[in-house]
């Protein structure tokens, strides 16, 4: 009996030690401030169709944590809150740093029927069900507000889309694109408005004014599009993701009547980059001949291989193709001889040469001295243009190259 007990006790201890209890650290959060912004109340009756709920979260400990806030609402006369939405995952800094979060009430989120509403905000750490901090209308009077649906308001709507997108290197970062804006009045009224267009880096909290359009006439639902180009040549943007904001204001009563910003996917995390980032600079590093066939040894080949090595200034792979042109001594213009298949180059390596057969391997050439032109094209570019070229006028390797037909190469000359 004693022996059996002696064996069981260590096994039990091992089992316990394999399942240690993980203690989750409980940090101290607080609401420093709650406020509303971007109020849209077109008929000025005190019932907004849109407001942005902002709140500043403080974390006491000197740590960095990821959180989300859950927003709840209820009619003031109701007793129970209903879930409204959840903010994006946000990394917050400790040591009582200001961390600003927001959530929009109204379109594009759920619109609220006309009435007075209480709101509640609950903060949770990511992957945790523990409530960290909470505030509601019983603690903060600002969390009681009047709302109504947009069809009860004197509403303006903003339609927007991107066009003319140019992405030279096809990496989904635009060099430039045109923002199109069409503003309508849902009641078919004619109104004069001011339009402000802003932009910012997505990680920034402050927008920069790009264009201010004063006294813009909105005629009901008539299509009257505003167009502005973001990126080169109008606005230089460094490589990154950008958010945009479009404001419509009634100058006669100095109120905001329509707004679109980073809540909408087409204005959120839009990728742009500079001309230099979006450009590729190609060079033809070397041209040479190989494998000549000259049966009669007269210096005129019936065929040989034209080799060239194309480099690009970035250490990336690019898909290219080449066009080969011939200039006969009796002609003043180059004629197309061959267009190659696509081939891939990588940075400045010399291991990515491309070879083209000239002469009887492709098309026989009559006995003569030819100037040759090589033009390189980017196969993936939306608009085909010559990226780099070289010819007999700049490279002796391509100058007055001697070719003849198979028959001429096997016929003994007198």
């Amino acid at each position: 009996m004693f022996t059996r007990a002696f064996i069981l006790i260590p096994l039990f201890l091992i089992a316990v030690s394999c399942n240690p209890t993980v203690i989750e650290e409980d940090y101290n959060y607080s609401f420093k401030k709650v406020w509303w912004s971007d109020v849209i109340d077109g008929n000025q009756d005190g019932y907004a169709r849109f407001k942005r709920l902002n709140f500043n979260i403080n974390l006491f400990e000197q740590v960095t944590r990821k959180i989300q806030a859950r927003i709840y609402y209820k009619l003031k006369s109701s007793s129970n809150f209903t879930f409204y939405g959840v903010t994006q995952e946000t990394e917050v800094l400790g040591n009582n740093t200001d961390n600003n979060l927001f959530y929009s009430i109204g379109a594009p989120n759920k619109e609220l029927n006309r009435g007075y509403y209480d709101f509640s905000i609950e903060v949770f750490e990511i992957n945790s069900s523990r409530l960290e901090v909470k505030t509601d209308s019983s603690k903060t009077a600002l969390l009681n507000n009047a709302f109504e649906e947009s069809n009860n308001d004197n509403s303006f709507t903003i339609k927007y889309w991107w066009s003319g997108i140019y992405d030279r290197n096809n990496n989904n970062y635009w060099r430039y694109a045109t923002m199109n804006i069409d503003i309508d009045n849902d009641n078919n009224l004619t109104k004069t408005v001011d339009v402000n267009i802003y932009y910012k880096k997505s990680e920034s909290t402050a927008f920069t004014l790009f264009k201010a359009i004063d006294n813009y006439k909105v005629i009901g639902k008539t299509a009257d599009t505003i167009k502005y180009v973001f990126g080169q040549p109008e606005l230089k943007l460094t490589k990154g993701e950008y958010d945009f904001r479009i404001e419509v204001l009634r100058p006669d009563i100095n109120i905001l009547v329509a707004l679109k910003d980073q809540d909408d996917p087409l204005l959120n995390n839009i990728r742009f980059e500079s001309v230099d980032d979006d450009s590729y600079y190609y060079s033809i590093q070397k041209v040479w001949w190989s494998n000549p066939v000259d049966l009669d040894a007269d210096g005129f080949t019936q065929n040989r291989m034209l080799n060239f090595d194309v480099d690009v200034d970035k250490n990336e792979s690019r898909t290219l193709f080449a066009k080969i042109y011939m200039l006969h001594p009796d002609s003043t213009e180059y004629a197309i001889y061959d267009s190659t298949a696509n081939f891939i180059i990588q940075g400045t390596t010399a291991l990515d040469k491309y070879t083209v057969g000239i002469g009887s391997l492709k098309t026989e050439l009559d006995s003569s001295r030819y100037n040759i032109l090589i033009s390189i094209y980017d196969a993936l570019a939306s608009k085909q243009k010559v990226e780099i070229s070289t010819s007999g006028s700049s490279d002796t390797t391509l100058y007055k190259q001697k070719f003849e037909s198979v028959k001429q190469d096997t016929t003994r000359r007198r």
Side-chain angles (χ1 to χ4, degrees), residues 28-86:
N28 295 291
Y29 293 85
S30 64
F31 284 91
K32 181 179 179 181
K33 183 181 179 183
V34 175
W35 72 102
W36 296 91
S37 65
D38 300 321
V39 180
I40 300 179
D41 178 11
N43 57 14
Q44 293 289 278
D45 64 352
Y47 288 81
R49 67 182 172 98
F50 178 91
K51 280 187 177 183
R52 177 155 290 150
L53 176 58
N54 305 274
F55 42 98
N56 187 301
I57 299 292
N58 280 182
L59 170 58
F60 178 76
E61 289 81 7
Q62 194 166 352
V63 294
T64 300
R65 307 295 291 169
K66 290 184 177 181
I67 65 168
Q68 282 183 312
R70 300 174 190 174
I71 313 301
Y72 298 84
Y73 75 104
K74 71 177 183 68
L75 282 167
K76 194 170 181 61
S77 57
S78 298
S79 56
N80 295 320
F81 280 98
T82 299
F83 176 74
Y84 184 81
V86 61

Side-chain angles (χ1 to χ4, degrees), residues 75-273:
L75 282 167
K76 194 170 181 61
S77 57
S78 298
S79 56
N80 295 320
F81 280 98
T82 299
F83 176 74
Y84 184 81
V86 61
T87 65
Q88 293 182 343
E89 180 179 315
T90 304
E91 187 173 82
V92 296
L93 304 178
N95 200 27
N96 286 329
T97 303
D98 290 343
N99 299 285
N100 293 325
L101 287 80
F102 70 85
Y103 202 78
S104 298
I105 310 299
N109 299 320
K110 175 183 172 65
E111 291 196 337
L112 299 178
N113 295 327
R114 186 179 174 91
Y116 286 92
Y117 291 86
D118 290 334
F119 293 87
S120 172
I121 310 170
E122 296 180 351
V123 175
F124 295 81
E125 291 188 349
I126 300 300
N127 300 322
S128 174
S129 60
R130 183 181 62 225
L131 177 62
E132 299 295 345
V133 66
K134 173 182 177 179
T135 190
D136 56 31
S137 53
S138 65
K139 300 175 183 177
T140 307
L142 283 171
L143 289 176
N144 173 246
N145 265 264
F147 282 88
E148 65 180 353
E149 292 176 305
S150 56
N151 57 15
N152 293 325
D153 202 30
N154 181 10
S155 297
F156 289 78
T157 56
I158 303 172
K159 300 173 184 175
Y160 55 93
W161 64 98
W162 295 98
S163 65
I165 296 167
Y166 185 74
D167 178 12
R168 170 74 172 82
N169 56 17
N170 298 291
N171 67 347
N172 295 318
Y173 283 81
W174 303 343
R175 180 187 300 192
Y176 58 79
T178 299
M179 177 186 284
N180 304 267
I181 304 169
D182 179 28
I183 301 166
D184 293 334
N185 181 270
D186 294 346
N187 295 332
N188 272 321
L189 301 176
T190 299
K191 292 288 184 181
T192 298
V193 298
D194 294 339
V195 182
N196 295 327
I197 305 171
Y198 299 84
Y199 71 99
K200 70 176 181 67
K201 278 286 188 73
S202 294
E203 64 269 20
S204 174
T205 58
F207 280 96
T208 298
L209 179 65
F210 172 61
K211 290 289 181 183
I213 305 113
D214 296 333
N215 300 317
Y216 174 77
K217 184 173 285 188
V218 177
I219 305 173
K221 297 182 180 180
T222 304
D224 37 21
T225 306
I226 302 170
K227 297 176 180 285
Y228 282 106
V229 176
F230 281 91
Q232 290 283 55
E234 190 156 350
L235 177 68
K236 294 180 180 179
L237 296 174
T238 58
K239 188 170 185 177
E241 295 185 348
Y242 290 82
D243 298 335
F244 299 88
R245 176 182 171 96
I246 306 166
E247 294 178 349
V248 180
L249 303 100
R250 287 249 324 255
D252 54 335
I253 51 179
N254 194 32
I255 64 166
L256 182 70
V257 293
L259 170 69
K260 291 293 182 183
D261 62 9
Q262 70 264 35
D263 268 357
D264 293 81
L266 281 178
L267 300 176
N268 175 249
N269 292 340
I270 307 299
R271 294 176 173 181
F272 281 88
E273 64 184 357

Side-chain angles (χ1 to χ4, degrees), residues 300 327-330 365-370 400-405 408 413:
F300 286 76
L327 178 63
H328 191 279
D330 295 336
L365 295 169
D366 190 38
S367 181
S368 192
R369 292 173 170 84
Y370 296 85
K400 291 189 176 181
Q401 295 299 298
K402 300 175 183 179
F403 284 91
E404 63 186 358
S405 68
Q408 290 165 338
R413 296 174 183 270

Side-chain angles (χ1 to χ4, degrees), residues 285-286 288 308-311 343-355:
Q285 286 298 103
K286 185 180 179 183
W288 69 101
F308 48 89
D309 175 28
V310 183
D311 286 348
F343 58 91
I344 296 174
I345 67 166
Q346 176 73 37
T348 59
T349 180
L351 302 177
D352 52 12
K353 72 167 185 175
Y354 193 77
T355 301

Side-chain angles (χ1 to χ4, degrees), residues 281-290 305-314 316 318 320-322 324 340 343-356 374-377 387-390 395 397-398:
Y281 300 98
Y282 296 97
S283 59
I284 300 176
Q285 286 298 103
K286 185 180 179 183
V287 178
W288 69 101
W289 295 98
S290 63
M305 307 306 293
L306 174 61
N307 308 274
F308 48 89
D309 175 28
V310 183
D311 286 348
V312 63
D313 66 327
K314 296 181 175 66
E316 298 177 12
R318 302 298 297 164
L320 309 176
F321 70 92
I324 312 299
T340 73
F343 58 91
I344 296 174
I345 67 166
Q346 176 73 37
T348 59
T349 180
L351 302 177
D352 52 12
K353 72 167 185 175
Y354 193 77
T355 301
V356 181
I374 306 171
S375 293
I376 304 298
Y377 296 80
E387 300 293 344
I388 188 72
S389 64
T390 187
D395 189 336
T397 309
L398 302 173

